[in-house]
Amino acid sequence: MPVTDTDLLREHGLRVTAPRLAVLDALGGRAHLDADAVLREVRTTLPNVSVQAVYDVLHALADAGLLRRIEPAGHPARYERRTGDNHHHVVCRGCGALDDVDCAVGHAPCLTPSSTSGFAVESAEVTFWGLCPTCRSAA
Ligand SMILES: [Zn+2]
Ligand SMILES: [Zn+2]
C-alpha cells in the first residue's frame, strides 16, 4: 500500500484536515512554492480558506518535519516536501527562481568545515547564487 498524505499526517501526530491535505497536495513533486503560491493552489480546491489558515498549516507541517522551509536572503520563504536529505539550493539573484542541488559528494553534511569549534556537525545548508537561464538570456 502506498503511503497517503492522510497516513503521513497521522504518523506525525497531526490531525487530518482538508487544508493540510490541500497544502501537501499543492507542494507535490519537486515544487518549491512561497506561501502566496501555496494559497493560490489551495484555493483551487478550497476557495474559502483564509490566508492565516494556510500560514498556520505551513508552520505546523514544517515544525512536524513534513515540509522544509528555505529562506533565501531578500526573497520570500519557499516550502517543499523534499526533507531530510541535506540537499542544497541554487537561487537566481535576478528573479528569485530556485531549484534543487543534490549533494555533490558523499553524505551529509557533504562539506568539510575548516574547523567546527567542537561541534558535531550533522548537516549543511548551502545556497548557490547566480542568474537563471531566463535572466541570463534577458541580460
Ligand atoms: Zn532569474
Ligand atoms: Zn529543495
Side-chain angles (χ1 to χ4, degrees):
M1 284 267 292
V3 177
T4 64
D5 288 344
T6 301
D7 298 334
L8 273 181
L9 287 170
R10 290 200 176 119
E11 278 169 18
H12 287 76
L14 295 170
R15 217 153 40 84
V16 178
T17 65
R20 285 176 176 169
L21 289 173
V23 166
L24 286 173
D25 194 51
L27 287 164
R30 291 170 60 92
H32 300 82
L33 301 181
D34 63 23
D36 287 346
V38 171
L39 178 68
R40 278 197 301 277
E41 196 62 38
V42 167
R43 280 188 171 158
T44 63
T45 51
L46 300 172
N48 298 319
V49 76
S50 71
V51 176
Q52 193 56 49
V54 166
Y55 273 88
D56 289 348
V57 168
L58 287 169
H59 284 126
L61 296 180
D63 284 350
L66 278 171
L67 296 182
R68 178 167 163 189
R69 181 181 159 100
I70 310 117
E71 297 180 279
H75 294 281
R78 249 60 71 83
Y79 295 87
E80 70 177 327
R81 296 190 62 168
R82 191 178 164 191
T83 59
D85 67 352
N86 200 73
H87 75 274
H88 308 300
H89 293 99
V90 59
V91 182
C92 177
R93 62 180 163 77
C95 67
L98 182 151
D99 207 350
D100 286 336
V101 177
D102 292 329
C103 219
V105 188
H107 298 289
C110 69
L111 284 175
T112 307
S114 56
S115 84
T116 62
S117 307
F119 285 57
V121 175
E122 291 162 355
S123 66
E125 266 187 55
V126 180
T127 303
F128 299 94
W129 292 89
L131 277 179
C132 75
T134 308
C135 290
R136 285 174 63 195
S137 57

